[in-house]
Amino acid sequence: MSESRRSLIPSFLYSSDHRLFQATTMSTHLKSQPLISPTNSSVSSNGTSFAIATPNEKVEMYSPAYFAACTVAGMLSCGITHTAITPLDVIKCNMQIDPLKYKNITSAFKTTIKEQGLKGFTRGWSPTLLGYSAQGAFKYGLYEYAKKYYSDIVGPEYAAKYKTLIYLAGSASAEIVADVALCPMEAVKVRVQTQPGFARGLSDGLPKIIKSEGFRGLHKGLVPLWGRQIPYTMMKFATFENTVELIYKKVMPTPKEECSKPVQLGVSFAGGYIAGIFCAIISHPADNLVSFLNNSKGATVADAVKRLGLWGMLTRGLPLRIFMIGTLTGAQWVIYDAVKVLAGLPTTGGASPATALAPSVSA
């Protein structure tokens, strides 16, 4: 097989066992199991796009079924995890909106128990589930598509050389669309969580906002949401991909393909948690801004800055959010990769573009 044909797909875009195809040890296997199967690959009009098979494949890489699997995995990972941490989200949002009343985590917890009981910690779970499930579907599904699309545009050499830029561009593109799906549910969630008596949940909260502010009221927080989520997601995906690659290169005693699936999922959690810490810090000012605007009718960004102050926007609720987002992001990557494994796909990350491909072999 020629080197040019092998390099059409940048190696970092998937993390299957490339060394299975090394000529020095697997020349016979190469002849019977080519990396790109003539019967399974699909070449686009410019001859640069292939669907490649993974080892023990159940779903063909970069096929419609592959992107569908990633979309479902993203929906489950974000919907389940965000709903699970609703109690922490209730505390965080109230600390951001009313810092005089909810002075710290302990104070916020006691006040919520006293005024609303344990049920108060579940407020907003339904818009959270629907909103973040939709967001996760677009976020992960479109990220995988955009990552492949941008790599095909720049070509394998530049895609491998500037892989972090591919991660950043792909994740930003996906998040722009994902936030449009999330924004209406986020508006309802914040109102329900921070304004007791406003509504019981999604069923009465959504029509109440539409009635008082129109459909524009559901999207007034979109620009601040982009300001929070786009940097967050860019940091999340780029840090995760590079962290996982670094873990396998520098920390793990054995190559990724020799690690068991539970170990690989453990690496996914570790990489996700580390990425989550950076995500929380970079997106926290915008998170405070989104909470303020969604809670205050007619409020502007200037009002938020004046009320919260610059230091308050940077730090208010940050320790809780670091813990929350670190755990959340780690769990999301575990769920996402677990669904991919069940579909017969490799876990995300871990391939080194500089070393993954073996020397060229003549076909």
Side-chain angles (χ1 to χ4, degrees), residues 265-310:
L265 293 176
V267 172
S268 294
F269 178 79
Y273 201 100
I274 292 170
I277 294 173
F278 289 98
C279 291
I281 294 172
I282 196 173
S283 65
H284 194 65
D287 184 63
N288 275 316
L289 185 60
V290 169
S291 294
F292 184 89
L293 292 177
N294 280 326
N295 186 66
S296 305
K297 184 177 180 179
T300 64
V301 173
D303 295 331
V305 174
K306 183 178 180 180
R307 170 75 181 276
L308 300 175
L310 181 60

Side-chain angles (χ1 to χ4, degrees), residues 102 107-121:
Y102 303 93
S107 171
F109 183 84
K110 290 180 178 178
T111 301
T112 303
I113 286 284
K114 181 179 179 181
E115 294 184 353
Q116 304 176 45
L118 290 174
K119 191 175 182 180
F121 292 108

Side-chain angles (χ1 to χ4, degrees), residues 28 89 99-100 132 140 165 186 238 254 260 274 310:
T28 303
D89 198 33
L100 296 178
Y132 282 94
Y140 283 89
L165 293 180
E186 181 77 359
T254 57
S260 65
I274 292 170
L310 181 60

Side-chain angles (χ1 to χ4, degrees), residues 202-334:
L202 178 63
S203 60
D204 55 340
L206 180 63
K208 183 172 283 190
I209 293 177
I210 294 175
K211 183 178 180 180
S212 63
E213 302 179 44
F215 284 98
R216 292 184 63 183
L218 295 173
H219 291 91
K220 71 176 184 178
L222 180 58
V223 173
L225 189 63
W226 277 334
R228 180 188 80 184
Q229 289 297 130
I230 293 176
Y232 169 94
T233 301
M234 293 170 71
M235 181 69 72
K236 172 181 178 177
F237 282 91
T239 303
F240 173 82
E241 299 259 20
N242 284 292
T243 299
V244 168
E245 181 179 330
L246 189 63
I247 289 174
Y248 282 115
K249 287 174 64 177
K250 303 295 185 180
V251 179
M252 300 302 292
T254 57
K256 175 180 178 179
E257 60 274 5
E258 295 178 14
C259 296
S260 65
K261 293 302 181 184
V263 169
Q264 291 185 28
L265 293 176
V267 172
S268 294
F269 178 79
Y273 201 100
I274 292 170
I277 294 173
F278 289 98
C279 291
I281 294 172
I282 196 173
S283 65
H284 194 65
D287 184 63
N288 275 316
L289 185 60
V290 169
S291 294
F292 184 89
L293 292 177
N294 280 326
N295 186 66
S296 305
K297 184 177 180 179
T300 64
V301 173
D303 295 331
V305 174
K306 183 178 180 180
R307 170 75 181 276
L308 300 175
L310 181 60
W311 182 249
M313 290 184 65
L314 290 170
T315 63
R316 184 166 294 155
L318 181 58
L320 177 61
R321 192 158 185 266
I322 287 176
F323 171 74
M324 185 176 77
I325 297 300
T327 305
L328 179 85
T329 307
Q332 284 179 353
W333 280 111
V334 168

